[in-house]
mmCIF file of all heavy atoms in Angstrom:
data_model
loop_
_atom_site.group_PDB
_atom_site.id
_atom_site.type_symbol
_atom_site.label_atom_id
_atom_site.label_comp_id
_atom_site.label_asym_id
_atom_site.label_seq_id
_atom_site.Cartn_x
_atom_site.Cartn_y
_atom_site.Cartn_z
ATOM 1 N N LYS N 1 105.815 56.096 98.148
ATOM 2 C CA LYS N 1 106.310 55.249 99.250
ATOM 3 C C LYS N 1 105.395 55.346 100.400
ATOM 4 O O LYS N 1 104.926 56.389 100.850
ATOM 5 C CB LYS N 1 107.726 55.708 99.683
ATOM 6 C CG LYS N 1 108.805 55.313 98.656
ATOM 7 C CD LYS N 1 110.185 55.773 99.133
ATOM 8 C CE LYS N 1 111.259 55.358 98.096
ATOM 9 N NZ LYS N 1 112.554 55.917 98.523
ATOM 10 N N GLY N 2 105.062 54.187 100.993
ATOM 11 C CA GLY N 2 104.137 54.138 102.151
ATOM 12 C C GLY N 2 102.707 54.057 101.723
ATOM 13 O O GLY N 2 101.833 53.804 102.590
ATOM 14 N N ARG N 3 102.410 54.303 100.459
ATOM 15 C CA ARG N 3 101.007 54.233 100.037
ATOM 16 C C ARG N 3 100.779 53.139 98.965
ATOM 17 O O ARG N 3 99.705 52.485 98.969
ATOM 18 C CB ARG N 3 100.632 55.573 99.353
ATOM 19 C CG ARG N 3 100.735 56.785 100.255
ATOM 20 C CD ARG N 3 100.085 57.990 99.577
ATOM 21 N NE ARG N 3 100.785 58.376 98.373
ATOM 22 C CZ ARG N 3 100.197 58.542 97.178
ATOM 23 N NH1 ARG N 3 98.920 58.272 97.090
ATOM 24 N NH2 ARG N 3 100.860 58.937 96.134
ATOM 25 N N PHE N 4 101.768 52.843 98.126
ATOM 26 C CA PHE N 4 101.641 51.843 97.093
ATOM 27 C C PHE N 4 102.489 50.608 97.444
ATOM 28 O O PHE N 4 103.551 50.765 98.049
ATOM 29 C CB PHE N 4 102.080 52.361 95.725
ATOM 30 C CG PHE N 4 101.223 53.417 95.152
ATOM 31 C CD1 PHE N 4 100.182 54.047 95.841
ATOM 32 C CD2 PHE N 4 101.392 53.805 93.837
ATOM 33 C CE1 PHE N 4 99.375 54.995 95.270
ATOM 34 C CE2 PHE N 4 100.602 54.802 93.216
ATOM 35 C CZ PHE N 4 99.634 55.358 93.992
ATOM 36 N N THR N 5 102.037 49.432 97.042
ATOM 37 C CA THR N 5 102.810 48.200 97.233
ATOM 38 C C THR N 5 102.818 47.417 95.975
ATOM 39 O O THR N 5 101.733 47.113 95.415
ATOM 40 C CB THR N 5 102.261 47.383 98.350
ATOM 41 O OG1 THR N 5 102.230 48.158 99.583
ATOM 42 C CG2 THR N 5 103.099 46.127 98.642
ATOM 43 N N ILE N 6 103.950 46.998 95.447
ATOM 44 C CA ILE N 6 104.110 46.195 94.316
ATOM 45 C C ILE N 6 104.319 44.748 94.765
ATOM 46 O O ILE N 6 105.080 44.506 95.785
ATOM 47 C CB ILE N 6 105.154 46.614 93.349
ATOM 48 C CG1 ILE N 6 105.100 45.836 92.036
ATOM 49 C CG2 ILE N 6 106.564 46.615 93.956
ATOM 50 C CD1 ILE N 6 106.020 46.453 90.949
ATOM 51 N N SER N 7 103.676 43.784 94.110
ATOM 52 C CA SER N 7 103.874 42.407 94.422
ATOM 53 C C SER N 7 103.719 41.563 93.207
ATOM 54 O O SER N 7 103.232 42.061 92.175
ATOM 55 C CB SER N 7 102.942 41.937 95.560
ATOM 56 O OG SER N 7 101.569 42.086 95.100
ATOM 57 N N ARG N 8 104.080 40.299 93.252
ATOM 58 C CA ARG N 8 103.939 39.437 92.117
ATOM 59 C C ARG N 8 103.547 38.049 92.551
ATOM 60 O O ARG N 8 103.921 37.612 93.655
ATOM 61 C CB ARG N 8 105.230 39.401 91.258
ATOM 62 C CG ARG N 8 106.425 38.811 91.943
ATOM 63 C CD ARG N 8 107.718 39.035 91.139
ATOM 64 N NE ARG N 8 107.654 38.388 89.824
ATOM 65 C CZ ARG N 8 108.463 38.724 88.800
ATOM 66 N NH1 ARG N 8 109.342 39.648 88.975
ATOM 67 N NH2 ARG N 8 108.313 38.053 87.653
ATOM 68 N N ASP N 9 102.907 37.324 91.651
ATOM 69 C CA ASP N 9 102.480 35.919 91.886
ATOM 70 C C ASP N 9 102.942 35.216 90.621
ATOM 71 O O ASP N 9 102.240 35.235 89.602
ATOM 72 C CB ASP N 9 100.983 35.802 92.092
ATOM 73 C CG ASP N 9 100.545 34.403 92.396
ATOM 74 O OD1 ASP N 9 101.294 33.428 92.086
ATOM 75 O OD2 ASP N 9 99.430 34.191 93.003
ATOM 76 N N ASN N 10 104.067 34.566 90.708
ATOM 77 C CA ASN N 10 104.597 33.870 89.501
ATOM 78 C C ASN N 10 103.712 32.718 89.075
ATOM 79 O O ASN N 10 103.758 32.352 87.892
ATOM 80 C CB ASN N 10 106.051 33.413 89.810
ATOM 81 C CG ASN N 10 107.018 34.566 89.923
ATOM 82 O OD1 ASN N 10 106.794 35.660 89.435
ATOM 83 N ND2 ASN N 10 108.099 34.293 90.614
ATOM 84 N N ALA N 11 103.027 32.086 89.981
ATOM 85 C CA ALA N 11 102.121 30.981 89.595
ATOM 86 C C ALA N 11 101.015 31.447 88.697
ATOM 87 O O ALA N 11 100.477 30.743 87.859
ATOM 88 C CB ALA N 11 101.599 30.283 90.856
ATOM 89 N N LYS N 12 100.627 32.689 88.846
ATOM 90 C CA LYS N 12 99.576 33.275 88.094
ATOM 91 C C LYS N 12 100.034 34.234 86.974
ATOM 92 O O LYS N 12 99.281 34.886 86.248
ATOM 93 C CB LYS N 12 98.631 34.080 88.977
ATOM 94 C CG LYS N 12 97.878 33.217 89.972
ATOM 95 C CD LYS N 12 96.964 34.039 90.855
ATOM 96 C CE LYS N 12 96.164 33.148 91.809
ATOM 97 N NZ LYS N 12 95.217 33.921 92.642
ATOM 98 N N ASN N 13 101.441 34.356 86.846
ATOM 99 C CA ASN N 13 102.001 35.238 85.848
ATOM 100 C C ASN N 13 101.461 36.664 85.970
ATOM 101 O O ASN N 13 101.112 37.347 84.987
ATOM 102 C CB ASN N 13 101.732 34.724 84.421
ATOM 103 C CG ASN N 13 102.731 33.649 84.018
ATOM 104 O OD1 ASN N 13 103.370 33.042 84.856
ATOM 105 N ND2 ASN N 13 102.768 33.375 82.745
ATOM 106 N N THR N 14 101.332 37.146 87.175
ATOM 107 C CA THR N 14 100.647 38.414 87.436
ATOM 108 C C THR N 14 101.508 39.257 88.416
ATOM 109 O O THR N 14 102.018 38.745 89.405
ATOM 110 C CB THR N 14 99.242 38.218 87.981
ATOM 111 O OG1 THR N 14 98.483 37.462 87.058
ATOM 112 C CG2 THR N 14 98.538 39.566 88.270
ATOM 113 N N VAL N 15 101.515 40.540 88.145
ATOM 114 C CA VAL N 15 102.105 41.550 89.054
ATOM 115 C C VAL N 15 100.983 42.502 89.432
ATOM 116 O O VAL N 15 100.091 42.770 88.665
ATOM 117 C CB VAL N 15 103.270 42.269 88.379
ATOM 118 C CG1 VAL N 15 102.888 43.079 87.163
ATOM 119 C CG2 VAL N 15 103.962 43.146 89.393
ATOM 120 N N TYR N 16 101.054 42.934 90.694
ATOM 121 C CA TYR N 16 100.006 43.802 91.249
ATOM 122 C C TYR N 16 100.585 45.124 91.756
ATOM 123 O O TYR N 16 101.768 45.212 92.080
ATOM 124 C CB TYR N 16 99.354 43.068 92.415
ATOM 125 C CG TYR N 16 98.785 41.730 92.143
ATOM 126 C CD1 TYR N 16 99.474 40.598 92.415
ATOM 127 C CD2 TYR N 16 97.498 41.612 91.575
ATOM 128 C CE1 TYR N 16 98.980 39.344 92.129
ATOM 129 C CE2 TYR N 16 96.976 40.371 91.278
ATOM 130 C CZ TYR N 16 97.692 39.227 91.573
ATOM 131 O OH TYR N 16 97.171 37.998 91.270
ATOM 132 N N LEU N 17 99.723 46.131 91.765
ATOM 133 C CA LEU N 17 100.054 47.393 92.349
ATOM 134 C C LEU N 17 98.899 47.750 93.283
ATOM 135 O O LEU N 17 97.842 48.198 92.765
ATOM 136 C CB LEU N 17 100.332 48.446 91.365
ATOM 137 C CG LEU N 17 100.855 49.791 91.952
ATOM 138 C CD1 LEU N 17 102.224 49.620 92.533
ATOM 139 C CD2 LEU N 17 100.855 50.910 90.871
ATOM 140 N N GLN N 18 99.045 47.571 94.580
ATOM 141 C CA GLN N 18 98.078 48.031 95.529
ATOM 142 C C GLN N 18 98.301 49.484 95.820
ATOM 143 O O GLN N 18 99.378 49.860 96.236
ATOM 144 C CB GLN N 18 98.166 47.199 96.824
ATOM 145 C CG GLN N 18 97.204 47.616 97.911
ATOM 146 C CD GLN N 18 95.718 47.302 97.525
ATOM 147 O OE1 GLN N 18 95.443 46.282 97.015
ATOM 148 N NE2 GLN N 18 94.895 48.271 97.783
ATOM 149 N N MET N 19 97.259 50.289 95.605
ATOM 150 C CA MET N 19 97.354 51.752 95.761
ATOM 151 C C MET N 19 96.400 52.180 96.871
ATOM 152 O O MET N 19 95.163 52.060 96.664
ATOM 153 C CB MET N 19 97.117 52.446 94.445
ATOM 154 C CG MET N 19 97.937 51.990 93.302
ATOM 155 S SD MET N 19 97.700 52.922 91.802
ATOM 156 C CE MET N 19 96.039 52.554 91.384
ATOM 157 N N ASN N 20 96.929 52.734 97.919
ATOM 158 C CA ASN N 20 96.092 53.215 99.023
ATOM 159 C C ASN N 20 96.298 54.673 99.247
ATOM 160 O O ASN N 20 97.255 55.268 98.680
ATOM 161 C CB ASN N 20 96.474 52.439 100.351
ATOM 162 C CG ASN N 20 96.251 51.006 100.259
ATOM 163 O OD1 ASN N 20 95.356 50.518 99.599
ATOM 164 N ND2 ASN N 20 97.120 50.210 100.983
ATOM 165 N N SER N 21 95.391 55.335 99.914
ATOM 166 C CA SER N 21 95.472 56.724 100.227
ATOM 167 C C SER N 21 95.653 57.547 98.947
ATOM 168 O O SER N 21 96.598 58.377 98.870
ATOM 169 C CB SER N 21 96.603 57.054 101.203
ATOM 170 O OG SER N 21 96.372 56.336 102.406
ATOM 171 N N LEU N 22 94.914 57.226 97.908
ATOM 172 C CA LEU N 22 95.106 57.875 96.621
ATOM 173 C C LEU N 22 94.804 59.350 96.678
ATOM 174 O O LEU N 22 93.966 59.827 97.436
ATOM 175 C CB LEU N 22 94.170 57.196 95.601
ATOM 176 C CG LEU N 22 94.732 55.873 95.123
ATOM 177 C CD1 LEU N 22 93.589 55.036 94.467
ATOM 178 C CD2 LEU N 22 95.831 56.033 94.147
ATOM 179 N N LYS N 23 95.591 60.042 95.825
ATOM 180 C CA LYS N 23 95.486 61.520 95.742
ATOM 181 C C LYS N 23 95.151 61.926 94.326
ATOM 182 O O LYS N 23 95.450 61.157 93.430
ATOM 183 C CB LYS N 23 96.789 62.143 96.146
ATOM 184 C CG LYS N 23 97.357 61.755 97.502
ATOM 185 C CD LYS N 23 98.728 62.320 97.719
ATOM 186 C CE LYS N 23 99.280 61.881 99.069
ATOM 187 N NZ LYS N 23 100.650 62.442 99.309
ATOM 188 N N PRO N 24 94.567 63.095 94.120
ATOM 189 C CA PRO N 24 94.287 63.542 92.741
ATOM 190 C C PRO N 24 95.549 63.532 91.868
ATOM 191 O O PRO N 24 95.470 63.278 90.636
ATOM 192 C CB PRO N 24 93.763 64.972 92.928
ATOM 193 C CG PRO N 24 93.063 64.846 94.314
ATOM 194 C CD PRO N 24 93.982 63.997 95.121
ATOM 195 N N ASP N 25 96.718 63.793 92.447
ATOM 196 C CA ASP N 25 97.945 63.804 91.664
ATOM 197 C C ASP N 25 98.324 62.406 91.156
ATOM 198 O O ASP N 25 99.225 62.267 90.316
ATOM 199 C CB ASP N 25 99.127 64.345 92.517
ATOM 200 C CG ASP N 25 99.040 65.842 92.687
ATOM 201 O OD1 ASP N 25 98.265 66.472 91.967
ATOM 202 O OD2 ASP N 25 99.791 66.362 93.503
ATOM 203 N N ASP N 26 97.688 61.355 91.671
ATOM 204 C CA ASP N 26 97.974 60.027 91.184
ATOM 205 C C ASP N 26 97.163 59.725 89.877
ATOM 206 O O ASP N 26 97.325 58.595 89.321
ATOM 207 C CB ASP N 26 97.542 58.981 92.225
ATOM 208 C CG ASP N 26 98.388 59.045 93.534
ATOM 209 O OD1 ASP N 26 99.615 59.209 93.389
ATOM 210 O OD2 ASP N 26 97.802 58.994 94.597
ATOM 211 N N THR N 27 96.339 60.609 89.463
ATOM 212 C CA THR N 27 95.551 60.407 88.267
ATOM 213 C C THR N 27 96.465 60.345 87.055
ATOM 214 O O THR N 27 97.317 61.174 86.831
ATOM 215 C CB THR N 27 94.561 61.604 88.064
ATOM 216 O OG1 THR N 27 93.637 61.617 89.094
ATOM 217 C CG2 THR N 27 93.869 61.503 86.720
ATOM 218 N N ALA N 28 96.364 59.221 86.340
ATOM 219 C CA ALA N 28 97.179 58.977 85.174
ATOM 220 C C ALA N 28 96.793 57.691 84.498
ATOM 221 O O ALA N 28 96.012 56.896 85.019
ATOM 222 C CB ALA N 28 98.678 58.882 85.623
ATOM 223 N N VAL N 29 97.354 57.394 83.345
ATOM 224 C CA VAL N 29 97.280 56.039 82.759
ATOM 225 C C VAL N 29 98.486 55.267 83.372
ATOM 226 O O VAL N 29 99.616 55.767 83.360
ATOM 227 C CB VAL N 29 97.372 56.069 81.275
ATOM 228 C CG1 VAL N 29 97.361 54.698 80.691
ATOM 229 C CG2 VAL N 29 96.202 56.905 80.665
ATOM 230 N N TYR N 30 98.167 54.099 83.879
ATOM 231 C CA TYR N 30 99.257 53.259 84.521
ATOM 232 C C TYR N 30 99.561 52.133 83.583
ATOM 233 O O TYR N 30 98.692 51.440 83.074
ATOM 234 C CB TYR N 30 98.691 52.694 85.826
ATOM 235 C CG TYR N 30 98.751 53.761 86.951
ATOM 236 C CD1 TYR N 30 97.891 54.859 86.939
ATOM 237 C CD2 TYR N 30 99.685 53.651 87.965
ATOM 238 C CE1 TYR N 30 97.925 55.805 87.957
ATOM 239 C CE2 TYR N 30 99.757 54.627 88.965
ATOM 240 C CZ TYR N 30 98.860 55.680 88.943
ATOM 241 O OH TYR N 30 98.900 56.620 89.936
ATOM 242 N N TYR N 31 100.913 52.014 83.406
ATOM 243 C CA TYR N 31 101.431 50.996 82.498
ATOM 244 C C TYR N 31 102.298 50.018 83.225
ATOM 245 O O TYR N 31 103.074 50.329 84.113
ATOM 246 C CB TYR N 31 102.310 51.641 81.424
ATOM 247 C CG TYR N 31 101.609 52.601 80.525
ATOM 248 C CD1 TYR N 31 101.484 53.927 80.851
ATOM 249 C CD2 TYR N 31 101.008 52.163 79.302
ATOM 250 C CE1 TYR N 31 100.878 54.808 79.981
ATOM 251 C CE2 TYR N 31 100.364 53.005 78.490
ATOM 252 C CZ TYR N 31 100.290 54.330 78.816
ATOM 253 O OH TYR N 31 99.618 55.237 77.968
ATOM 254 N N CYS N 32 102.100 48.745 82.844
ATOM 255 C CA CYS N 32 102.924 47.621 83.290
ATOM 256 C C CYS N 32 104.064 47.420 82.311
ATOM 257 O O CYS N 32 103.858 47.544 81.080
ATOM 258 C CB CYS N 32 102.048 46.385 83.440
ATOM 259 S SG CYS N 32 102.882 44.877 83.831
ATOM 260 N N ALA N 33 105.209 47.045 82.777
ATOM 261 C CA ALA N 33 106.386 46.795 81.902
ATOM 262 C C ALA N 33 107.208 45.659 82.450
ATOM 263 O O ALA N 33 107.219 45.357 83.640
ATOM 264 C CB ALA N 33 107.267 48.044 81.842
ATOM 265 N N ALA N 34 107.880 45.004 81.537
ATOM 266 C CA ALA N 34 108.726 43.844 81.873
ATOM 267 C C ALA N 34 110.110 43.989 81.286
ATOM 268 O O ALA N 34 110.294 44.515 80.178
ATOM 269 C CB ALA N 34 108.117 42.564 81.335
ATOM 270 N N ARG N 35 111.125 43.551 82.030
ATOM 271 C CA ARG N 35 112.497 43.544 81.553
ATOM 272 C C ARG N 35 113.191 42.282 81.910
ATOM 273 O O ARG N 35 112.966 41.763 82.988
ATOM 274 C CB ARG N 35 113.204 44.748 82.131
ATOM 275 C CG ARG N 35 113.233 44.846 83.722
ATOM 276 C CD ARG N 35 113.978 46.067 84.204
ATOM 277 N NE ARG N 35 115.384 45.809 84.245
ATOM 278 C CZ ARG N 35 116.297 46.702 84.563
ATOM 279 N NH1 ARG N 35 115.948 47.938 84.750
ATOM 280 N NH2 ARG N 35 117.628 46.421 84.583
ATOM 281 N N SER N 36 114.081 41.824 81.019
ATOM 282 C CA SER N 36 114.770 40.557 81.241
ATOM 283 C C SER N 36 116.192 40.784 81.669
ATOM 284 O O SER N 36 116.883 39.883 82.170
ATOM 285 C CB SER N 36 114.721 39.744 79.995
ATOM 286 O OG SER N 36 115.362 40.441 78.887
ATOM 287 N N SER N 37 116.699 41.995 81.522
ATOM 288 C CA SER N 37 118.125 42.284 81.873
ATOM 289 C C SER N 37 118.195 42.983 83.211
ATOM 290 O O SER N 37 117.335 43.735 83.600
ATOM 291 C CB SER N 37 118.744 43.156 80.777
ATOM 292 O OG SER N 37 120.038 43.583 81.161
ATOM 293 N N SER N 38 119.317 42.688 83.846
ATOM 294 C CA SER N 38 119.599 43.375 85.130
ATOM 295 C C SER N 38 120.350 44.647 84.914
ATOM 296 O O SER N 38 120.581 45.423 85.863
ATOM 297 C CB SER N 38 120.360 42.448 86.036
ATOM 298 O OG SER N 38 121.624 42.127 85.446
ATOM 299 N N ARG N 39 120.728 44.959 83.663
ATOM 300 C CA ARG N 39 121.444 46.204 83.390
ATOM 301 C C ARG N 39 120.517 47.387 83.252
ATOM 302 O O ARG N 39 119.423 47.199 82.727
ATOM 303 C CB ARG N 39 122.284 46.015 82.135
ATOM 304 C CG ARG N 39 123.428 45.049 82.283
ATOM 305 C CD ARG N 39 124.215 44.944 80.996
ATOM 306 N NE ARG N 39 123.434 44.370 79.932
ATOM 307 C CZ ARG N 39 123.869 44.180 78.707
ATOM 308 N NH1 ARG N 39 125.146 44.605 78.418
ATOM 309 N NH2 ARG N 39 123.106 43.657 77.787
ATOM 310 N N GLY N 40 120.951 48.539 83.670
ATOM 311 C CA GLY N 40 120.162 49.714 83.532
ATOM 312 C C GLY N 40 119.311 49.949 84.778
ATOM 313 O O GLY N 40 118.959 49.009 85.487
ATOM 314 N N SER N 41 118.894 51.137 84.950
ATOM 315 C CA SER N 41 118.107 51.578 86.081
ATOM 316 C C SER N 41 116.686 51.059 86.008
ATOM 317 O O SER N 41 116.080 51.154 84.950
ATOM 318 C CB SER N 41 118.136 53.081 86.273
ATOM 319 O OG SER N 41 117.154 53.498 87.160
ATOM 320 N N TYR N 42 116.142 50.596 87.125
ATOM 321 C CA TYR N 42 114.739 50.219 87.144
ATOM 322 C C TYR N 42 113.829 51.413 86.986
ATOM 323 O O TYR N 42 112.640 51.289 86.665
ATOM 324 C CB TYR N 42 114.446 49.558 88.483
ATOM 325 C CG TYR N 42 114.934 48.123 88.580
ATOM 326 C CD1 TYR N 42 116.088 47.840 89.262
ATOM 327 C CD2 TYR N 42 114.244 47.082 87.975
ATOM 328 C CE1 TYR N 42 116.572 46.562 89.321
ATOM 329 C CE2 TYR N 42 114.711 45.802 88.023
ATOM 330 C CZ TYR N 42 115.906 45.518 88.694
ATOM 331 O OH TYR N 42 116.357 44.244 88.727
ATOM 332 N N TYR N 43 114.361 52.622 87.149
ATOM 333 C CA TYR N 43 113.586 53.847 87.121
ATOM 334 C C TYR N 43 113.391 54.364 85.694
ATOM 335 O O TYR N 43 112.694 55.308 85.450
ATOM 336 C CB TYR N 43 114.167 54.915 87.948
ATOM 337 C CG TYR N 43 114.237 54.599 89.468
ATOM 338 C CD1 TYR N 43 115.144 53.712 89.940
ATOM 339 C CD2 TYR N 43 113.331 55.187 90.309
ATOM 340 C CE1 TYR N 43 115.235 53.416 91.300
ATOM 341 C CE2 TYR N 43 113.393 54.902 91.675
ATOM 342 C CZ TYR N 43 114.346 54.009 92.160
ATOM 343 O OH TYR N 43 114.366 53.728 93.497
#
């Protein structure tokens, strides 16, 4: 929170993750995921 921003452009069918003030603990493989249902936690 305060460092990353998620956004989307439906015209381009694209979602973005802007990552600022990166830390070594942010090192990982990052995966994008899609869901069609509103049920269940986003987390």
Side-chain angles (χ1 to χ4, degrees):
K1 285 180 180 176
R3 300 189 297 122
F4 291 11
T5 302
I6 189 171
S7 62
R8 65 189 298 162
D9 185 338
N10 290 338
K12 296 182 178 180
N13 279 16
T14 301
V15 63
Y16 304 98
L17 185 69
Q18 178 67 44
M19 305 186 296
N20 299 327
S21 301
L22 282 161
K23 304 175 182 179
D25 284 349
D26 296 318
T27 294
V29 177
Y30 283 70
Y31 297 91
C32 172
R35 54 180 279 174
S36 58
S37 172
S38 61
R39 290 181 296 178
S41 170
Y42 285 100
Y43 297 77

